[in-house]
Every structure is written in structure tokens, then in C-alpha cells.
Amino acid sequence: MAMKVLLVGGGGRENAIVEALVNGGAELYVVARHVNPGIKRLCRDYGPAGETDVGKVLDFAEKWGVELAFIGPEAPLEKGIVDVLEENGIPAVGPSKEAARLETNKAFARHMMEKYEIPGRKLFRVFTDVGEMRSWIDDFGKPVVVKPLRLTGGKGVKVVGYQLRDNEEAKEYAKALIERDGKVLVEERTDGVEFTFQVFTDGKKVIPMPLAQDYPHAYEGDAGPITGGMGSYSCENHILPFVTEEDYKKAFETLKATVEAMRKNGTPYKGILYGQFMLAKDEPKIIEFNARFGDPEAMNVLPIIKTPFLEIAEGIVDGALKKAEFEKKATVVKYIAPKGYPSDPIKGVRVEIREDKIREEGARVYYASVDENFRMLGSRALAVVGIAGSLEEAERIASAGIRHVKGEIFYRADVGTRESVEKRVRIMKKLRGEWND
């Protein structure tokens, strides 16, 4: 008999997780606040409830008799959903409430890196006093990053030189956060190119996934407001063109050292650990940790996984993780969003999706913020994914698939293109003194 598995969450990331679990032999049950059409067709039953309503999630899990749970988004992890499920005899893929603080409390993550001397850390301070914060930024004298300590969906961080004109504006933003939240995190700004490194871990063993790079800005050319991510790509060799073998090793050491530090700290970490790195002049620096798959980066790695995903999930919860192998393929994810996203998105408008035509192009579609009637709910609506032996071909397939989606939508055509990737390569070469105009 197939194992009964509960998935919590209903976005594009979760659509990819459900597909991988079902392909791995699971019988899927889902709890999410809206009915995702891509998920519904793959699961046995669907429980409509908020992902953070832990009591209702448990009720559904017990009603269905699930044997394993998989937590998609971060918000229920912050509410302690893994602790509650496991206290009731349901093992779950995801960190405990305490361990999830690597994502849900940025100060905790920074203090852990400092305490255990984890490589890739940045200079930082947490402030509760406006006067102390102002004095520190003045004395520091270099551009800073200002971050809320709480979850913000990737949209609350502001950086001098990007969203903020100068350190004076940074001080005003930090003051506003102290007045609202009681505290704020201020850290050094690091220049370079960002990349994503995701790993599986059972609390001891750490297994890498292919590197990916996200496109967080809304508009082409890396312009406009920060979003949840307008797309991402990964390469057939599982490393990115601007990341050296030495960079890769250092970033992997950071993630392994973090898992080891969490174990030593008495807050063992299991599940998916996502490291958002800034590849700086000297080494990869941690910008932040996420306690789950990235969205869109889950859609880069899960479609090319060779090891049965259910086997990996069981290994994580049993503390017996063995392996995770991936096809040597490149992937390009292009998210389609409603017009006006992220600041003032249209809602309730239907989007026309010719799935048959998308598949004929060789692409895949994952649904996110759309309902059963394919009406857009205001966030990123769906993703089209190209998979091929080369990045260029994967990008071509994704772009061909998008032609079969019609409506009041927009997307970033430049995700995964040769030009956008070469731009990132140039940035790193200039930073490291390897490029002359």
C-alpha cells in the first residue's frame, strides 16, 4: 500500500513537492487555504484551512490517517506545526519551531553563526535603542543593510545603494522598525552576486541539491520592487557559471557547519535548509537562511530528482538519509504574475492556460496563486518550467510554453537568458579584478 502523506501549503513550490512525492509512490493529502488546481488533481483529498491553523491541520491529518507530513511554507513552521504533529505521532519533514528560528528570527541566525564561528558570516548588530543604532551606523561609516527580525516574505529588507539612498535613510528605516517591532537587525552591506544553495538534512547528514539563482526584482534588467521571485535557473552541471569550485566548497561547508552547530546547540535541524548566499570578492557570505524549499527554486531541483522523493523524506524523518541524485539537466523557471504585482496586483481575473500546448512545447506548468476556476488571487499565479541538456535550450522551452498563457499578466522574459547570466558573470569578474572593459 502507498504511504499516506500530508502536504501543508498550496503554492507553486508545493505543486512541485506534491508531484515529486506522488512520483515517488506517495498517496497525497493536502491542507491549504485555497484550492490549487495543479495540486488537487494529484492528491486524494484536500482540506481547506489556513496553513498556520495548526489545530485544523492536525484534525485533517488524524482524519486521513496520514503516516508522514511535509511542510511547504515557513509560516506554519514558525507556529510549531512540526512539534504538534510529532507530539501526536506524525513524523514531519521540516524543522521544529526552535530550529526554524534560523529563518523566522534573523538575529538568532546571526548569533548562531557568531557563537559557532560558522564561515560566511557578516558583521551585524541587533538594536532596541534608536540612539545606539544611529551611533553605531555613524561609527561604522560604510553602507549597511537593515532587516526586520520577523518573517517578511522576502520583502522587508532594505539595502543602502539599492532601496535606500544613504545611511541617513537607513537610520530612518531602522528607527521605524524599532518603533514597530521593538528591535532591528543592521549589518554590513556585501556586494556581489546572489545564489541559492539548498540541502537535505536529517540533522547529521547533509546532501546538496543543484545550485540555483533567483530573479527577485519584478522587471527585466533587475529593475523594480523586490518580489517573492520572478523566476530562477539552474545549470546541467549543478553549479552556476560565476561560482568556482572553491566557492561551492566554501558555501557547502557553511551549510554543513550550520547543521552541526544546531545539533550542538540543542536545537537539531532536519528537513530542507536553504542558504541564500552573496558571492562576495573573498568568499560566499550568508544573506539569510530559509527553513524550507525556495519558491521558485524548488521547481528547479524537484523535477530533475532521480532518487524517489518519498525515500528522501522518510530518510529525513528517520535520521537515516542516504542519497539524493539529480539528472544532469538545466532548468529555467519563469513565474507569471497578475498585472500590478507586487504593489497593486489585479485580483479575480481569469487567466487562460493551454496546458496541452505547454506540454507539446516540452515545458511543465506549476500552479500557485490561482483558484479552481483559474482566477488569479493577487500573487504569482503560475510558473512555466523548461528542462533540457543546456541552459539555452531550457530557457527556449520555458519561453515557448509561456506563449500559451493569456490574460492580464506579465513575466520576466530575461530569466535564464544568456545575456542575464553573462551580466552576473561580468559582475563577479569585475569584483575579483578579472575583467577589464
Side-chain angles (χ1 to χ4, degrees):
M1 267 180 73
M3 176 179 277
K4 292 185 174 185
V5 178
L6 167 70
L7 176 85
V8 177
R13 162 184 51 216
E14 287 76 32
N15 194 168
I17 292 169
V18 165
E19 180 185 76
L21 285 168
V22 169
N23 288 344
E27 180 178 299
L28 247 293
Y29 298 81
V30 176
V31 174
R33 71 167 48 85
H34 81 276
V35 177
N36 178 315
I39 292 175
K40 187 177 181 184
R41 70 181 62 154
L42 292 169
C43 71
R44 182 63 62 91
D45 204 353
Y46 213 112
E51 291 92 339
T52 57
D53 190 338
V54 176
K56 278 192 178 176
V57 174
L58 178 62
D59 289 343
F60 278 117
E62 292 182 329
K63 169 189 164 186
W64 292 323
V66 301
E67 301 159 85
L68 177 75
F70 200 113
I71 315 305
E74 64 275 18
L77 295 172
E78 185 178 36
K79 295 290 185 183
I81 192 168
V82 169
D83 310 66
V84 170
L85 289 169
E86 294 191 338
E87 284 162 11
N88 287 274
I90 302 168
V93 178
S96 66
K97 182 178 182 177
E98 280 291 297
R101 287 193 297 160
L102 272 181
E103 174 171 10
T104 63
N105 185 328
K106 293 182 178 70
F108 172 80
R110 289 299 182 207
H111 286 305
M112 281 291 295
M113 293 190 78
E114 186 178 60
K115 178 180 177 181
Y116 291 97
E117 299 182 346
I118 295 170
R121 60 190 182 276
K122 296 170 70 174
L123 184 65
F124 76 98
R125 283 286 298 275
V126 176
F127 296 99
T128 57
D129 181 87
V130 173
E132 286 182 18
M133 173 272 295
R134 288 182 183 278
S135 296
W136 188 86
I137 291 178
D138 285 340
D139 292 343
F140 187 60
K142 291 182 284 189
V144 297
V145 181
V146 180
K147 297 182 177 181
L149 269 65
R150 61 185 178 83
L151 289 176
T152 61
K155 302 178 188 75
V157 175
K158 292 195 177 181
V159 184
V160 170
Y162 302 122
Q163 299 93 344
L164 302 170
R165 285 193 301 272
D166 52 32
N167 276 359
E168 288 305 312
E169 201 168 311
K171 286 187 282 189
E172 287 307 306
Y173 180 53
K175 176 176 178 283
L177 291 178
I178 290 173
E179 289 171 350
R180 188 190 72 184
D181 301 338
K183 56 181 69 173
V184 68
L185 175 67
V186 181
E187 60 186 37
E188 63 177 311
R189 181 183 124 177
T190 305
D191 290 323
V193 177
E194 292 187 37
F195 68 93
T196 301
F197 198 154
Q198 302 174 109
V199 297
F200 297 113
T201 180
D202 60 8
K204 290 183 180 178
K205 189 162 187 177
V206 181
I207 295 178
M209 301 183 223
L211 300 189
Q213 186 175 47
D214 180 27
Y215 287 63
H217 291 273
Y219 311 128
E220 289 173 28
D222 303 317
I226 298 292
T227 70
M230 291 302 295
S232 50
Y233 71 92
S234 65
C235 297
E236 65 273 17
N237 63 355
H238 301 168
I239 301 182
L240 299 169
F242 53 85
V243 176
T244 68
E245 195 68 42
E246 188 62 26
D247 294 328
Y248 179 92
K249 287 177 183 175
K250 285 180 177 178
F252 193 29
E253 280 306 314
T254 292
L255 296 173
K256 288 191 287 186
T258 301
V259 171
E260 179 63 13
M262 292 293 282
R263 190 182 63 78
K264 288 178 180 174
N265 197 56
T267 50
Y269 188 101
K270 65 176 174 63
I272 287 86
L273 180 61
Y274 168 123
Q276 188 70 35
F277 286 90
M278 178 71 81
L279 185 55
K281 186 175 183 179
D282 54 342
E283 66 175 357
K285 304 274 191 186
I286 276 284
I287 297 176
E288 65 180 14
F289 294 107
N290 288 335
R292 36 67 190 184
F293 275 118
D295 187 349
E297 295 97 333
M299 292 178 270
N300 293 107
V301 296
L302 289 174
I304 61 168
I305 201 160
K306 289 167 66 177
T307 308
F309 192 47
L310 181 57
E311 185 181 299
I312 293 170
E314 288 183 275
I316 288 169
V317 298
D318 293 341
L321 191 58
K322 291 186 176 70
K323 64 177 182 176
E325 295 179 355
F326 297 84
E327 295 178 69
K328 293 288 186 181
K329 296 238 177 118
T331 62
V332 172
V333 180
K334 300 203 183 205
Y335 247 127
I336 294 169
K339 285 183 178 176
Y341 175 80
S343 52
D344 188 25
I346 61 167
K347 296 179 183 178
V349 177
R350 199 170 186 276
V351 61
E352 182 187 327
I353 304 144
R354 292 292 307 274
E355 272 197 65
D356 56 337
K357 295 292 185 183
I358 292 172
R359 285 194 296 270
E360 282 177 15
E361 301 285 4
R364 301 189 189 195
V365 59
Y366 293 109
Y367 291 95
S369 186
V370 292
D371 67 14
E372 286 182 277
N373 298 308
F374 302 97
R375 289 189 297 252
M376 294 184 286
L377 303 175
S379 191
R380 297 167 299 168
L382 68 147
V384 176
V385 182
I387 303 167
S390 70
L391 184 60
E392 208 163 359
E393 179 63 8
E395 192 279 326
R396 188 199 65 75
I397 290 169
S399 294
I402 280 182
R403 291 201 298 265
H404 305 290
V405 182
K406 308 292 182 187
E408 294 187 52
I409 57 172
F410 82 97
Y411 67 97
R412 280 190 62 170
D414 63 345
V415 171
T417 61
R418 177 183 291 188
E419 293 78 14
S420 75
V421 175
E422 286 178 349
K423 173 184 171 183
R424 287 148 174 79
V425 173
R426 283 197 303 273
I427 289 169
M428 282 315 304
K429 285 188 173 181
K430 284 180 180 178
L431 193 64
R432 290 178 165 175
E434 301 166 2
W435 181 280
N436 293 309
D437 284 323

